[in-house]
Amino acid sequence: MRLKDFVLRLRALLFRQRMDEELQEELAFHLEMQVRKNRCHERNPAEAERQARLQFGSVVTTTEECREVRGISYLEMLGKDVRFAFRMLRKSPGFTGVALLTLALGIGANTALFNIVYAVLLRPLPYPDPDRLVAIYSNYPVDGNASFSYPNFVDWQLDNRSFAHLAAYHPDDFTFTAAGEAQHVVGERLTAGFFDALGVKPILGRNFLPEEDRIGGPPVVLLSENFWRNRLGSQRTILGQSVTLNSTVYTVVGVIPADFSFSGKGFIAGDVYVPLGQSPGWPFQSRVFTMDIYGFGKLRPEVSLAQARADMDGVARRLAERYPDADKDSGIGLVPLKQDITGDTATLLYLLLGAVGFVLLIACANIANLLLARSAGRMREFAVRAALGATHGRCICQVLAESVLLSLMGGCLGLLLAAWATTGALGVVPNALPRAEEVALDTPVLLFTLGISIGAGILFGLAPAFRMGGQSLQEVFKEGGRGTSGARHRLQRVFIVSEVALALVLLAGAGLMVRTLIELESVNPGFNPRNTLTFSLTLPRTLAIQSAAALREHYRQITENLNALPDVEAASMIDSYLPMEGDDELAFWRDEDPKPASDSEMLMAYDIGVQPGYLRAMQIPLRQGRFFTEDDTTRSPLVVVVDEVFAQTFFPNQNPVGKVIDLTVFNAKAQIIGVVGHVKHAGLAADSTNSTHAQMYYACMQVPDRIVVTLWPLSHLARFLVRTKGHPLTALGSIREILNHMNNQQTIYGVATLDKIVSDSVAPHRFTMILMGAFAALALTLAGVGIYGVMSYVVGQRTQEIGLRIALGAHRMDVLRLVLGESATMAVLGVLIGTAAAFGLTRLLSKMLYGVSAHDPLTFAGGAILLTSVALVASYIPAQRAMRVDPMVALRHE
Amino acid sequence: MTPNPPRLDLLQGTLDLLILRALRTETMHGWAVSERIQQISQDVLQVNQGSLYPALHRLEHHGWIKAEWRISELGRRARFYSLTGSGRKQLELEAENWNKLSEAIARVLRMA
């Protein structure tokens, strides 16, 4: 419709009365002029007027025609239709209630999921020019994108011509000391341009300056708004004051707003930010050793991603020439930041969105069926309307107005449901999705809900609308008000069969996910996560600056004290990542081989530094040789323990015990003293036979001084693992007590049970299973209700026929069979179609599956049986009603 | 009184053309439009007064004529219509179409 046209129509609607009056005045004027003219040859004034009226014709018709030209009609009609629809819905609360509930569930589930999809995948990142942000990695032939070394990053910054900003960060833990009390705080070490690249302005003070972001720069810190408010009393005088972190005194230069969030790899929006370039210790200065430093860049406006890639390839090539030892095989990987953050979740979320769309389709089919059944009772009403001059189009409009009104009301309820369901879904499985903190019901989501509400209303209203609109008077009265039952039944059956088919697809998907979770839970991770607790410890200020020997002794004492607790079965320090939390790799070569020419030709294995209690705490089986003892110290020869995969990969068909390997970072030879069971370090679904998952343990107490002094005070690397006798969290009290007793400056943080870590590692699987399960349950319920509704209706319509059959001697069991047979036919047909569809669609889920094929016959059969049973149960009540039909009553009915 | 000449009913759509033509030189109210058409056609064309007003409103809706309230010869207000710019173009267009049509019909009749 043209805008001007619409404005005229709107004006006509709003000023309707005035325009009507003006029209009457205009016509009256015309009549008067005509009367005057007639007077010239007609003496009798009354006759003159009569003739004028005759010449004019019907004033009413003219008025109507003028109004129609002005175009108020269809807006006005719509208003009438809506008012009428509202009355009709109020008149049948039962129907309206069921329909609204169905719609609220269908639309609510869709809105909730779209809400998540929008926040995670569609909404632009909350920074200026989000499309120019690109994640940057070191790229290796085998491992792909990984963290990079700080010196390499500095060279990237200097050498590239593509980026307006290039920023790097390293998540870290700090000990914040105030008034003699130590607190653990989380933070980031980041480069000076970090917040500028994201367009984040401090609410107080300023961002880091380039000269602060280098070794020897003045120690400065940015605080988070929350930290400033909650721990420092939100004083505006904070700028220029000092805070103590890790025994260094930092000057506060700014406060970062609380609404800042960043979901880049590994980033935690913590409490404190310090310049990355000032970071102490050789690990930050090594090109070989990487310290979980990640980064991103903002492309110059005129540079495309492909150009940037070409540019950075050149940068990497020049680095490889200059530092062949470290960078010979490493390239630079660029990934659009949003894509890097959302990663694999895109496929998964779109899949779930498709699944929830099926639920809405089922809901629509159900309501269409309800409306069809209801339309039977309203055939006469519409026939009468048609007889009184309503056009086909008018009748269709009336029915559509009703269905759209219904779906809009359902949509409103659905919105409420969605608000609740979204938080529910995200709450049940936290950590399953990136950007989850950005989920909020906002305009695009509301528009989506409005869109699907209207769409659904039209969709389920169409079939009944055309059926009603196309009704001819004759037919209706001929059928005695029962409508053209045959055709309508056919349509209803089509709907039911489709519902069953859709529900089967969802059931198959949900079934496969349940099987996957069961399989994953039955996977032996190689250790026993029951009753184990892990925590990190802040290091007392006085200790952080002491010698390696003192640090070793301190940690040895902690473990000794923990082991002495009555609740504790075994305890160990861990100088690396726990399984499923991350991995650390160590380069080495077999002593019998010559030393490889470059780092890239080294052998690699996961490395974990532990204490003697680790094996018992994790309950990892010892296969061969021995594990570490308290006697393995810096004064005794360096020894390592390897796992089965290590033994098979690097010493196939040999006895690995007694073999010697050369460890790069340790700069020393180590003898293998034992072989232990393999641990699923990379996750439950990881392939344990994969040689890249080979593992090696070293003793914490044998770590060289150089590493102890620089790495151990970075407190998150010193974690403890404790196997407890009872529930792990009940032991926490006595653990805290003993540690505090040793030194009141060491506090526990990052407490987790291994059970939780293992269960979090399958969070995306669980998230998928819960959502698919919920959708399938919804689909099953709706399909059941739908079949019940249709069968009840069919039985109601066929009461006479059934009565007649019984009167003619049909057995009541025959009647039961008749009804159940009909619904079984529909169910089986639906199941067949659904199986075919599911066969094609579950393939999309295969990435999320573990231990079960996407076409698992057992799951498919289970879904089919469940669905058919539900169909039979749902039609049993109407079938019984049919069975009890009293032939006398039924026949007298007419 | 002279005997009425035979009157022709207006073809659908030609009424619009006639109204536009009548308003080309002068602003007038509805009754005057119908009188004018009748006069010029020497009473051959009879405007059905009932369909005159819907036609006027339709043309106004299209934006080809515009209306305003003015004081009429009777001393009371009446709705006066006048041609707009786009109405002038529309009139040219329709007049041309009409001429083509009538020429074509005339040619056919001559042939036959």
Side-chain angles (χ1 to χ4, degrees):
Chain A
M1 200 194 316
R2 286 176 310 137
L3 183 68
K4 194 175 134 231
D5 193 36
F6 181 75
V7 170
L8 281 171
R9 278 169 198 271
L10 200 65
R11 198 186 59 176
L13 187 70
L14 294 177
F15 303 109
R16 187 179 153 201
Q17 198 174 357
R18 211 185 90 201
M19 298 195 69
D20 269 356
E21 282 167 9
E22 287 189 346
L23 181 62
Q24 291 312 319
E25 193 180 340
E26 187 178 14
L27 297 183
F29 176 80
H30 181 103
L31 279 175
E32 197 181 327
M33 290 299 288
Q34 194 61 34
V35 171
R36 280 179 161 242
K37 187 184 171 193
N38 292 351
R39 277 259 188 96
C40 300
H41 48 84
E42 179 59 62
R43 281 294 173 85
N44 185 354
E47 180 57 23
E49 192 169 335
R50 200 187 68 89
Q51 281 197 2
R53 288 198 181 283
L54 270 178
Q55 283 157 337
F56 191 86
S58 162
V59 176
V60 179
T61 314
T62 307
T63 312
E64 280 293 330
E65 278 175 25
C66 287
R67 261 194 213 152
E68 209 152 298
V69 168
R70 285 191 333 223
I72 46 171
S73 47
Y74 62 61
L75 282 171
E76 207 180 353
M77 268 196 269
L78 186 67
K80 280 193 181 140
D81 281 349
V82 169
R83 274 196 297 277
F84 184 75
F86 202 71
R87 281 206 303 278
M88 284 310 289
L89 293 179
R90 220 173 33 192
K91 249 169 59 185
S92 41
F95 160 79
T96 309
V98 171
L100 281 185
L101 186 67
T102 309
L103 277 167
L105 288 172
I107 296 177
N110 274 274
T111 302
L113 201 69
F114 180 77
N115 195 6
I116 295 175
V117 166
Y118 180 73
V120 175
L121 300 178
L122 303 180
R123 185 187 293 143
L125 295 174
Y127 318 110
D129 306 315
D131 296 335
R132 283 163 50 198
L133 296 174
V134 176
I136 188 164
Y137 291 99
S138 264
N139 186 280
Y140 301 99
V142 179
D143 296 346
N145 288 338
S147 68
F148 45 80
S149 73
Y150 183 67
N152 271 356
F153 174 77
V154 173
D155 285 328
W156 295 352
Q157 264 183 324
L158 293 175
D159 204 15
N160 87 81
R161 266 164 295 150
S162 310
F163 289 95
H165 296 274
L166 206 53
Y169 55 91
H170 167 67
D172 211 343
D173 298 83
F174 297 86
T175 306
F176 167 66
T177 327
E181 209 179 307
Q183 276 179 313
H184 164 252
V185 296
V186 179
E188 301 278 338
R189 297 177 183 273
L190 29 91
T191 53
F194 183 93
F195 287 116
D196 297 325
L198 295 179
V200 175
K201 303 245 181 319
I203 51 169
L204 271 185
R206 57 165 174 86
N207 287 329
F208 296 137
L209 304 173
E211 58 266 31
E212 289 163 345
D213 186 23
R214 61 177 66 127
I215 291 283
V220 287
V221 64
L222 286 163
L223 305 176
S224 78
E225 186 178 344
N226 286 337
F227 186 76
W228 171 59
R229 289 195 189 285
N230 300 337
R231 308 227 192 147
L232 299 171
S234 32
Q235 286 159 339
R236 302 190 72 86
T237 54
I238 188 73
L239 293 182
Q241 291 193 12
S242 52
V243 295
T244 308
L245 297 170
N246 290 359
S247 65
T248 306
V249 178
Y250 286 88
T251 308
V252 178
V253 294
V255 176
I256 296 299
D259 61 2
F260 161 70
S261 74
F262 182 67
S263 305
K265 171 112 178 161
F267 192 91
I268 303 156
D271 295 326
V272 296
Y273 305 97
V274 300
L276 178 60
Q278 295 184 2
S279 303
W282 60 267
F284 286 105
Q285 306 310 323
S286 162
R287 267 180 214 277
V288 180
F289 196 87
T290 58
M291 282 282 299
D292 279 348
I293 298 175
Y294 297 97
F296 69 95
K298 186 169 187 172
L299 292 173
R300 292 181 191 282
E302 72 280 3
V303 175
S304 73
L305 186 62
Q307 286 168 328
R309 282 198 172 120
D311 179 27
M312 295 315 280
D313 283 348
V315 172
R317 216 171 23 249
R318 287 188 285 278
L319 278 177
E321 280 162 20
R322 225 178 328 153
Y323 309 101
D325 265 8
D327 293 333
K328 193 175 149 224
D329 286 328
S330 68
I332 297 172
L334 299 181
V335 189
L337 187 59
K338 198 170 102 180
Q339 185 190 327
D340 192 55
I341 289 172
T342 51
D344 289 344
T345 48
T347 350
L348 173 62
L349 283 179
Y350 283 128
L351 197 77
L352 288 171
L353 197 61
V356 81
F358 278 20
V359 174
L360 187 60
L361 282 181
I362 295 176
C364 282
N366 255 3
I367 297 173
N369 268 347
L370 279 175
L371 285 173
L372 277 175
R374 225 164 73 101
S375 72
R378 293 178 62 188
M379 276 302 166
R380 273 169 196 269
E381 175 198 331
F382 277 87
V384 170
R385 278 160 178 262
L388 290 178
T391 60
H392 192 165
R394 277 298 274 122
C395 287
I396 290 180
C397 280
Q398 172 62 51
V399 179
L400 280 183
E402 270 182 57
S403 59
V404 172
L405 181 69
L406 196 61
S407 69
L408 282 176
M409 297 199 312
C412 288
L413 288 177
L415 210 55
L416 295 178
L417 209 64
W420 171 81
T422 313
T423 25
L426 292 173
V428 171
V429 191
N431 315 326
L433 291 174
R435 299 182 78 190
E437 71 280 359
E438 291 178 44
V439 174
L441 276 179
D442 52 12
T443 324
V445 180
L446 295 180
L447 286 178
F448 172 83
T449 311
L450 185 69
I452 59 168
S453 297
I454 293 175
I458 291 174
L459 193 65
F460 67 68
L462 273 182
F466 281 102
R467 175 99 338 142
M468 295 245 210
Q471 221 34 243
S472 84
L473 260 188
Q474 248 184 331
E475 271 177 72
V476 173
F477 290 112
K478 204 167 60 197
E479 286 234 10
R482 262 169 289 144
T484 40
S485 40
R488 185 162 345 94
H489 285 179
R490 196 158 52 240
L491 197 56
Q492 282 177 323
R493 286 194 191 99
V494 170
F495 282 141
I496 288 295
V497 169
S498 332
E499 276 183 47
V500 171
L502 290 169
L504 186 85
V505 176
L506 292 182
L507 271 179
L512 290 173
M513 284 316 297
V514 171
R515 291 278 313 267
T516 296
L517 256 279
I518 293 174
E519 290 290 328
L520 281 174
E521 249 141 52
S522 66
V523 165
N524 176 8
F527 60 92
N528 179 4
R530 284 285 123 72
N531 293 338
T532 47
L533 187 72
T534 163
F535 58 87
S536 303
L537 205 57
T538 59
L539 200 64
R541 191 153 66 105
T542 45
L543 265 167
I545 45 174
Q546 284 189 12
S547 68
L551 277 169
R552 270 195 213 99
E553 178 56 20
H554 180 73
Y555 282 119
R556 202 194 56 73
Q557 265 178 24
I558 290 175
T559 315
E560 197 176 273
N561 286 337
L562 289 174
N563 271 320
L565 287 174
D567 297 355
V568 170
E569 214 171 286
S572 166
M573 173 189 176
I574 311 144
D575 173 16
S576 178
Y577 290 100
L578 277 169
M580 295 165 204
E581 282 205 318
D583 56 68
D584 222 16
E585 293 193 11
L586 194 64
F588 66 94
W589 72 93
R590 283 175 291 233
D591 199 48
E592 60 212 39
D593 300 336
K595 181 182 176 183
S598 75
D599 275 352
S600 49
E601 286 160 42
M602 295 276 182
L603 305 176
M604 298 291 271
Y606 287 178
D607 64 309
I608 309 124
V610 297
Q611 284 180 300
Y614 186 76
L615 205 65
R616 267 202 303 140
M618 291 287 274
Q619 294 192 349
I620 299 169
L622 181 68
R623 300 284 188 227
Q624 221 182 323
R626 69 167 177 95
F627 200 65
F628 306 115
T629 67
E630 296 294 340
D631 298 328
D632 295 314
T633 65
T634 43
R635 282 181 295 278
S636 63
L638 186 63
V639 291
V640 290
V641 172
V642 300
D643 81 330
E644 298 155 319
V645 175
F646 186 106
Q648 279 151 27
T649 308
F650 302 116
F651 299 99
N653 307 319
Q654 299 172 57
N655 182 3
V657 175
K659 298 280 185 196
V660 175
I661 57 176
D662 287 71
L663 301 179
T664 50
V665 174
F666 285 68
N667 261 336
K669 293 181 198 303
Q671 191 176 42
I672 298 171
I673 52 167
V675 179
V676 296
H678 176 73
V679 168
K680 297 241 173 195
H681 203 97
L684 291 176
D687 177 10
S688 52
T689 56
N690 193 322
S691 61
T692 59
H693 293 164
Q695 290 149 14
M696 153 174 44
Y697 299 86
Y698 58 87
C700 283
M701 292 302 135
Q702 291 193 322
V703 174
D705 291 1
R706 188 170 58 96
I707 298 176
V708 169
V709 173
T710 45
L711 286 187
W712 287 17
L714 303 172
S715 42
H716 72 287
L717 281 176
R719 294 183 70 178
F720 289 85
L721 179 76
V722 176
R723 170 163 298 274
T724 55
K725 292 201 172 109
H727 189 272
L729 293 177
T730 55
L732 198 58
S734 56
I735 291 174
R736 264 186 220 283
E737 201 177 313
I738 185 82
L739 291 173
N740 205 39
H741 181 74
M742 281 178 70
N743 187 323
N744 66 2
Q745 286 207 356
Q746 53 191 12
T747 47
I748 288 180
Y749 68 92
V751 176
T753 63
L754 273 193
D755 268 333
K756 175 137 191 342
I757 291 173
V758 171
S759 117
D760 277 359
S761 75
V762 293
H765 294 92
R766 187 163 296 123
F767 182 76
T768 314
M769 181 198 76
I770 289 174
L771 286 192
M772 286 294 283
F775 299 159
L778 213 52
L780 199 62
T781 315
L782 288 179
V785 170
I787 292 170
Y788 169 78
V790 167
M791 291 319 289
S792 298
Y793 172 73
V794 167
V795 166
Q797 291 285 297
R798 290 170 69 178
T799 306
Q800 281 172 284
E801 178 208 322
I802 293 166
L804 200 59
R805 278 170 190 256
I806 294 173
L808 291 177
H811 209 275
R812 283 179 191 264
M813 281 315 279
D814 295 334
V815 174
L816 189 71
R817 213 172 295 133
L818 182 78
V819 177
L820 288 186
E822 187 168 342
S823 79
T825 315
M826 290 191 289
V828 168
L829 197 59
V831 161
L832 287 178
I833 297 172
T835 309
F839 208 75
L841 289 171
T842 48
R843 255 185 320 121
L844 301 172
L845 203 61
S846 53
K847 250 190 163 175
M848 288 305 288
L849 298 181
Y850 176 81
V852 57
S853 131
H855 298 147
D856 182 49
L858 207 64
T859 311
F860 275 52
I865 291 169
L866 182 61
L867 205 50
T868 316
S869 322
V870 165
L872 288 180
V873 170
S875 47
Y876 188 72
I877 300 168
Q880 263 195 328
R881 203 178 299 144
M883 210 164 69
R884 292 211 203 89
V885 164
D886 182 342
M888 289 316 287
V889 175
L891 294 175
R892 221 182 284 133
H893 183 66
E894 192 73 334
Chain B
M1 232 173 104
T2 51
N4 283 344
R7 283 171 177 173
L8 296 174
D9 273 340
L10 283 175
L11 274 168
Q12 182 79 31
T14 47
L15 179 57
D16 288 2
L17 174 62
L18 294 176
I19 293 174
L20 291 176
R21 177 64 188 80
L23 290 172
R24 196 177 76 173
T25 46
E26 216 179 319
T27 296
M28 53 182 112
H29 51 68
W31 186 78
V33 171
S34 73
E35 284 298 295
R36 170 62 64 86
I37 293 171
Q38 233 160 304
Q39 259 174 27
I40 299 178
S41 70
Q42 292 164 346
D43 277 2
V44 175
L45 296 177
Q46 172 85 10
V47 178
N48 177 353
Q49 301 182 0
S51 52
L52 174 68
Y53 285 91
L56 282 169
H57 284 247
R58 185 169 51 244
L59 293 175
E60 186 192 355
H61 196 99
H62 283 308
W64 293 332
I65 62 176
K66 60 175 191 275
E68 58 187 333
W69 289 96
R70 280 202 218 156
I71 303 301
S72 71
E73 57 268 42
L74 292 186
R76 49 183 278 200
R77 73 181 194 142
R79 219 159 178 250
F80 280 78
Y81 295 91
S82 58
L83 214 55
T84 64
S86 65
R88 226 165 272 283
K89 273 181 220 141
Q90 182 66 21
L91 172 60
E92 278 170 27
L93 196 75
E94 285 196 17
E96 195 183 321
N97 283 345
W98 176 260
N99 286 335
K100 272 190 202 153
L101 182 70
S102 57
E103 261 174 43
I105 291 175
R107 221 177 294 139
V108 171
L109 291 178
R110 273 199 303 276
M111 289 281 292

